[in-house]
Amino acid sequence: MRVEQIAVFLENKSGRLAEITSILAENNINIRALAVADTADFGILRLIVDKVDEAETALKEKGFTVGKTMVIAVEVPDRTGGLAEVLDCVQKIGLNVEYMYAFVNKTGENAVLIFRFDDMTRAINSLQENGFTILESSQVYNL
Amino acid sequence: MSTIYWDEEIETLPRVGLESIQLKRLQSLINRVYRKVEPYREKMIAAGVKPEDIRGLEDLQKLPFTTKDDLRENYPFGMFTMGLDDIVRVHASSGTTGKPTVVGYTRSDIDIWANMMARALACAGATRGDMVHNAYGYGLFTGGLGAHYGAEKLGATVIPVSGGNSKRQITIMKDFGSTILMSTPSYALNLADAMDHMGIDPSSLSLRVGIFGAEPWSENMREEVENKLNLKAVDIYGLSEVIGPGVAQECLNSSGGMHIFEDHFLPEIIDPETGKVMAPGERGELVFTTLTKEAFPVIRYRTKDITSLHYETCTCGRTLVRMDKVTGRSDDMLIIRGVNVFPSQVEHVLMGIEGVEPHYQIIVEREGTMDTMTVEVEVSDSLFTDEIKGLEALTKRITRDVKDILGVTCRVKLVNPRAIQRSEGKAQRVIDNRKI
Ligand SMILES: [Zn+2]
């Protein structure tokens, strides 16, 4: 139910993002989803990739600070209001979202929401009880 | 509270009496060292000074200084006054560049050291009935064994717990009833955090006094550690080249500063640039001459520590001169907006924050007429969190601690590991881009 996400510390320097994507490309690692959170001074790049451990090793070798975090991937049917339904539910249950980002899968049929909650177990249980589909990690890595 | 003395007569001796003891010991020291230690003799000959020229304490100023470089050049035993047959112990301080400094002790030196350390403990209010929790590191470093022998000499009970394993330390504190904590101030704060995690209320422990030293610390840190550990925090000073811990100790009802045990360790304050002796109360570099040590005496040893000396009798009754808290090092001082800043202080701030590695660089720039200081800190894996707020809290904490300890507002920039240039293993700590 949980998906491993890679987070990379970004000094606020242009070219860092390109450097990271090319390191991953050289190592035949595919990026499934990517989001950058940043401040005036630094940023954090969050990545879902198909080969988590290889990506971590490759980036660390090049001197990046890398961490791994567990996140949840929620599948949202591609219809009007699909996204709103998930967010409404999250709010109603009172789940505390640390951060989230979204991407659309290859076929373009469904959107996938990546969530990090402070209480992951409760989040998984309550979302499932409310009928939402939470993807297995293998499904996400191979999207 | 009545003052506890270890050696009341000496500790309260009027200055005239004290100075006459100092002079007698100084003359005998210079005679002995001139005969027995070639590097000292050569330097004195070069300076045109003979032992018989030392007629008064003020003649000390005629003698050349001794520096850490002198000790390194004569590594390991070249500055000893006697053969290894009479040396019963050596200690060494790690060198950040090249060779360490090795110091040696005769049986009598060890005994003097234990007495000075017992005097320091008594000065901090310790008695035979105390349980001394000694969390200074045992080993080549003088801290652990120095404090240990002193506590035994005093007749207290020593727990030689050494550094590390905070949880176990706290359990021991609780079960054994430790009353006196000896450690670095930053380790004391770590212990306070660990107590918090373990859910132990410090007021349920028996801790009464903390004797903290071996690194610079501020009044704010004193307040923090006193509140968090529910004890009275006092400062201790020492360095291995002089003897180890027990060179100076802050008393419990202090007028401010640490009493230097000057019947054994004669202090001077000099201008680090010119080498001239400064007036009482003026800030400068602390210099020591050891008056009684046998194996490894030092003459006018430049500590590089910046402080000042105060000769007025203390409210505790001791006549022994007091030195202020050490505020920095003479060799790497930066002046930012009129405040003296020492890179080592930044390093100590960083080392006090769990997970932060002391890999940093200070960048000083001038914007208009304003000097700015940026501290670049490497984000190690252990420190990294994938949440912005975690890293922001970290930069805030570093900024606050730097402000507390150095009195300067800085900008903190988090950088990738190894982004800070290292030249031959030793990082260039300061980049001063000001064009003054
Ligand atoms: Zn006093």
Side-chain angles (χ1 to χ4, degrees):
Chain A
M1 285 300 149
R2 292 168 194 220
V3 180
E4 227 171 355
Q5 168 200 262
I6 286 203
V8 189
F9 175 73
L10 290 177
E11 275 182 58
N12 204 13
K13 277 186 180 165
S14 50
R16 283 303 209 182
L17 204 53
E19 196 183 333
I20 291 169
T21 49
S22 62
I23 291 168
L24 295 178
E26 280 161 25
N27 288 278
N28 295 316
I29 295 160
N30 293 310
I31 299 171
R32 299 301 180 210
L34 161 163
V36 179
D38 63 356
T39 70
D41 289 318
F42 63 86
I44 296 168
L45 172 67
R46 300 182 184 122
L47 289 165
I48 306 284
V49 296
D50 57 349
K51 285 171 262 180
V52 181
D53 293 335
E54 283 93 327
E56 187 190 16
T57 311
L59 290 170
K60 276 191 175 169
E61 267 171 16
K62 297 287 180 179
F64 285 96
T65 303
V66 184
K68 287 194 285 191
T69 330
M70 289 299 181
V71 292
I72 301 175
V74 183
E75 195 172 42
V76 183
D78 189 28
R79 59 163 193 268
T80 318
L83 178 63
E85 277 171 34
V86 183
L87 296 178
D88 277 351
C89 174
V90 163
Q91 205 191 0
K92 247 179 248 152
I93 303 163
L95 291 172
N96 200 356
V97 182
E98 303 282 4
Y99 54 77
M100 67 149 288
Y101 51 99
F103 66 104
V104 178
N105 71 6
K106 268 184 213 146
T107 56
E109 280 165 13
N110 290 318
V112 177
L113 295 181
I114 304 290
F115 279 103
R116 168 78 194 168
F117 295 102
D118 60 348
D119 187 343
M120 297 286 275
T121 313
R122 191 162 83 86
I124 292 171
N125 294 338
S126 5
L127 284 168
Q128 281 179 328
E129 279 165 20
N130 283 276
F132 293 99
T133 310
I134 295 176
L135 298 178
E136 294 291 341
S137 56
S138 58
Q139 291 175 280
V140 178
Y141 300 149
N142 298 314
L143 275 173
Chain B
M1 191 201 309
S2 68
T3 302
I4 302 163
Y5 298 102
W6 175 247
D7 199 347
E8 181 164 0
E9 195 192 329
I10 286 285
E11 292 178 64
T12 58
L13 201 62
R15 285 223 74 78
V16 190
L18 193 58
E19 284 173 4
S20 115
I21 293 175
Q22 288 173 328
L23 179 59
K24 244 180 268 163
R25 289 179 170 175
L26 177 67
Q27 287 170 328
S28 137
L29 165 83
I30 302 301
N31 256 311
R32 188 160 50 92
V33 165
Y34 189 84
R35 279 183 290 118
K36 292 191 169 168
V37 188
E38 207 182 313
Y40 278 121
R41 182 168 57 245
E42 281 171 7
K43 273 191 142 182
M44 281 175 67
I45 289 170
V49 202
K50 290 203 170 70
E52 53 268 32
D53 295 333
I54 308 302
R55 291 191 201 93
L57 280 178
E58 65 285 356
D59 293 325
L60 179 61
Q61 297 178 29
K62 294 177 180 166
L63 295 166
F65 292 114
T66 306
T67 64
K68 193 148 191 133
D69 284 341
D70 293 321
L71 309 186
R72 281 204 197 99
E73 274 162 30
N74 295 288
Y75 173 89
F77 309 135
M79 303 287 267
F80 288 11
T81 61
M82 48 185 68
L84 294 178
D85 277 1
D86 294 307
I87 308 286
V88 299
R89 173 138 29 114
V90 289
H91 278 282
S93 63
S94 59
T96 42
T97 49
K99 291 168 184 162
T101 310
V102 183
V103 296
Y105 303 79
T106 62
R107 202 168 293 284
S108 150
D109 292 335
I110 294 283
D111 197 49
I112 287 172
W113 188 13
N115 266 295
M116 290 307 101
M117 204 44 236
R119 200 192 269 186
L121 279 152
C123 193
T127 64
R128 293 173 54 95
D130 274 300
M131 182 69 80
V132 176
H133 189 100
N134 185 16
Y136 284 116
Y138 281 67
L140 279 175
F141 168 60
T142 49
L145 284 170
H148 182 104
Y149 274 59
E152 280 189 358
K153 177 67 90 178
L154 181 75
T157 311
V158 199
I159 313 171
V161 53
S162 199
N165 199 345
S166 303
K167 250 178 118 168
R168 195 187 63 173
Q169 299 238 359
I170 292 161
T171 307
I172 287 174
M173 269 180 191
K174 207 170 110 216
D175 296 350
F176 295 11
S178 311
T179 55
I180 310 260
L181 171 62
M182 303 190 75
S183 73
T184 61
S186 54
Y187 190 62
L189 285 175
N190 281 344
L191 285 174
D193 285 346
M195 275 180 208
D196 199 33
H197 284 138
M198 291 165 75
I200 288 179
D201 178 2
S203 65
S204 71
L205 302 176
S206 314
L207 291 176
R208 186 161 58 81
V209 175
I211 301 174
F212 302 125
E215 67 186 23
W217 52 304
S218 65
E219 287 305 320
N220 287 333
M221 253 171 110
R222 187 203 298 269
E223 213 175 289
E224 190 182 350
V225 77
E226 285 189 338
N227 289 336
K228 284 189 170 168
L229 285 177
N230 190 42
L231 47 68
K232 166 102 179 125
V234 288
D235 208 351
I236 186 169
Y237 179 84
L239 65 168
S240 64
E241 295 88 333
V242 173
I243 202 157
V247 173
Q249 172 67 50
E250 183 179 8
C251 60
L252 269 190
N253 44 341
S254 168
S255 314
M258 294 168 268
H259 290 287
I260 296 175
F261 303 145
E262 55 177 322
D263 47 329
H264 295 273
F265 316 114
L266 183 59
E268 298 171 273
I269 294 287
I270 61 159
D271 180 327
E273 297 289 317
T274 63
K276 269 201 167 145
V277 172
M278 299 172 81
E282 288 189 322
R283 261 164 63 92
E285 182 179 337
L286 181 62
V287 170
F288 272 111
T289 300
T290 59
L291 297 174
T292 50
K293 262 170 74 188
E294 291 180 340
F296 182 81
V298 286
I299 297 173
R300 303 196 85 196
Y301 181 72
R302 294 187 59 159
T303 64
K304 299 201 167 175
D305 286 329
I306 300 287
T307 185
S308 56
L309 297 178
H310 305 278
Y311 287 89
E312 307 79 31
T313 300
C314 181
T315 45
C316 73
R318 287 181 180 82
T319 49
L320 297 168
V321 63
R322 279 165 292 129
M323 61 179 274
D324 277 339
K325 250 187 189 312
V326 171
T327 50
R329 304 274 298 164
S330 63
D331 50 359
D332 50 15
M333 188 174 81
L334 278 167
I335 301 175
I336 293 164
R337 298 198 288 274
V339 179
N340 294 346
V341 169
F342 298 91
S344 52
Q345 292 173 297
V346 174
E347 182 161 335
H348 285 290
V349 167
L350 296 179
M351 279 167 30
I353 300 175
E354 217 167 302
V356 178
E357 289 177 42
H359 299 314
Y360 65 96
Q361 195 162 46
I362 298 169
I363 296 156
V364 188
E365 273 155 327
R366 178 158 287 184
E367 290 165 13
T369 56
M370 192 69 169
D371 292 339
T372 61
M373 177 168 95
T374 303
V375 180
E376 291 191 346
V377 182
E378 290 185 355
V379 182
S380 60
D381 288 338
S382 63
L383 205 62
F384 181 55
T385 128
D386 73 327
E387 287 171 44
I388 294 278
K389 66 179 179 200
L391 292 179
E392 279 183 335
L394 176 69
T395 60
K396 274 197 196 112
R397 160 103 198 259
I398 297 172
T399 309
R400 192 195 69 207
D401 288 3
V402 167
K403 172 81 183 164
D404 278 358
I405 292 185
L406 284 76
V408 169
T409 304
C410 70
R411 182 173 163 249
V412 172
K413 186 170 188 284
L414 300 178
V415 298
N416 276 319
R418 289 181 297 275
I420 295 167
Q421 305 151 340
R422 307 227 206 290
S423 49
E424 287 165 11
K426 202 190 178 222
Q428 190 189 350
R429 291 301 185 202
V430 178
I431 295 181
D432 196 339
N433 289 326
R434 291 176 294 186
K435 290 176 181 64
I436 302 171

